[in-house]
Amino acid sequence: MEIVVVPCLYDNYSYLIINGKEAAVVDPSEAWPVMKVAAEKGLTLVAALCTHHHHDHIGGLPDLLDEYKNLEIYGFHQDQKRIPLITRPVEDEARFSVCGLDVDVIHTPGHTSTHIVFAVEDHLFVGDTLFGAGCGRLFEGTAEQMVHSLDRILQCGKQSRIFFGHEYTEFNLRFAAQVDPVNPAIDERIASVRKMRNADQPSTPSTLEEELATNPFLRIEDGSIIDQLEREHNLDSTDRVTVFAALREQRNNFS
Ligand code: ZN
Ligand code: FE
């Protein structure tokens, strides 16, 4: 298996999962950058995997279908109304096979109520649930749902590789440095991400281990993050959902 990162639109990432001469695309924001890589590598695109219904994740589907008539489109069964092009609706904990590879589905409500993550071996395609040093905005789900969704991702193990949907890492790390100021891993990651970005390299994928060390939304039990939040907000409790909600709100107002 080979993964190719395909930058799309302004800061989106689509991914090609390649096995032999077959490929599946995750979150095709646009068709042409995906088709270009497929043509260069002589690949047949057999499937599209859609993490959620937002246009910047599915906008390329119609043009891809024009080019690849047999393209199978996988998406969450409860997203069929919002992604009418789905041909293969999948449920939470479903396992299916594309390009000879097993894909597992994890329902991760929070950013949207119908968001899913695709797991291929230890590669997690997390869409807008988790980002480098951040997480998706809560457009439809609650803080409680998102905490649960992130916990399910954490169950996949530290060595999992995280392929996220947007290049927000540098900005997210600035926020992380503010809310978690005594964490040296954040400074190290800022330096390494800056290097990548200056060389025009994507900061995706990361590992879950790296996120656990630097992503404040996975560190909601950390004493210094909680102390910081208690100074900013009047937290009535320090349970994980309350901490997460306060942190998410603080991030929404961060600029
Ligand atoms: Zn989205
Ligand atoms: Fe998005």
Side-chain angles (χ1 to χ4, degrees):
M1 168 172 56
E2 182 196 354
I3 310 294
V4 175
V5 180
V6 186
C8 290
L9 301 174
Y10 180 65
D11 56 23
N12 277 82
Y13 288 127
S14 299
Y15 298 98
L16 279 173
I17 304 170
I18 303 167
N19 195 17
K21 283 292 160 196
E22 287 191 332
V25 62
V26 180
D27 285 355
S29 315
E30 308 179 86
W32 72 266
V34 174
M35 289 184 339
K36 186 166 175 273
V37 177
E40 281 166 6
K41 292 183 166 277
L43 303 170
T44 305
L45 200 65
V46 297
L49 314 183
C50 307
T51 62
H52 65 297
H53 72 285
H54 287 158
H55 190 74
D56 62 312
H57 297 255
I58 60 167
L61 289 177
D63 286 346
L64 287 178
L65 267 176
D66 275 351
E67 179 76 16
Y68 306 98
K69 305 286 177 214
N70 298 322
L71 191 74
E72 295 285 7
I73 299 175
Y74 292 81
F76 197 49
H77 65 112
Q78 290 172 351
D79 251 347
Q80 277 181 286
K81 274 211 182 89
R82 307 200 283 192
I83 315 175
L85 291 174
I86 289 175
T87 59
R88 299 281 179 136
V90 293
E91 297 188 9
D92 186 25
E93 294 184 5
R95 169 173 280 196
F96 60 91
S97 165
V98 282
C99 313
L101 300 164
D102 283 339
V103 183
D104 289 299
V105 176
I106 308 170
H107 180 211
T108 56
H111 178 67
T112 69
S113 58
T114 47
H115 195 295
I116 54 177
V117 166
F118 296 101
V120 185
E121 296 170 7
D122 62 351
H123 296 46
L124 305 183
F125 297 89
V126 297
D128 289 357
T129 294
L130 187 61
F131 293 126
C135 74
R137 275 176 197 263
L138 302 180
F139 284 125
E140 295 177 353
T142 62
E144 189 172 5
Q145 284 176 316
M146 190 58 135
V147 168
H148 184 247
S149 295
L150 294 173
D151 284 345
R152 288 192 68 186
I153 290 175
L154 287 173
Q155 281 165 13
C156 297
K158 277 186 181 180
Q159 296 317 314
S160 303
R161 289 155 74 77
I162 307 297
F163 295 81
F164 40 84
H166 290 266
E167 182 60 63
Y168 293 157
T169 313
E170 226 179 323
F171 189 76
N172 284 339
L173 284 166
R174 280 179 46 208
F175 175 72
Q178 179 182 301
V179 297
D180 193 5
V182 290
N183 180 350
I186 292 176
D187 299 324
E188 281 164 32
R189 193 170 181 194
I190 288 175
S192 90
V193 167
R194 246 180 223 153
K195 232 186 199 168
M196 291 180 215
R197 300 302 298 140
N198 287 340
D200 221 14
Q201 295 296 313
S203 68
T204 185
S206 62
T207 62
L208 211 41
E209 188 166 28
E210 240 180 308
E211 298 306 334
L212 278 164
T214 57
N215 189 326
F217 296 97
L218 300 182
R219 299 171 55 74
I220 49 181
E221 284 150 50
D222 182 88
S224 68
I225 291 184
I226 294 172
D227 287 348
Q228 181 277 143
L229 281 168
E230 281 184 318
R231 284 194 298 273
E232 299 286 321
H233 302 261
N234 285 320
L235 292 183
D236 30 295
S237 103
T238 57
D239 74 82
R240 300 170 76 238
V241 173
T242 307
V243 171
F244 179 90
L247 199 57
R248 186 58 253 182
E249 194 189 312
Q250 197 177 353
R251 174 64 180 80
N252 293 348
N253 300 320
F254 181 77
S255 56

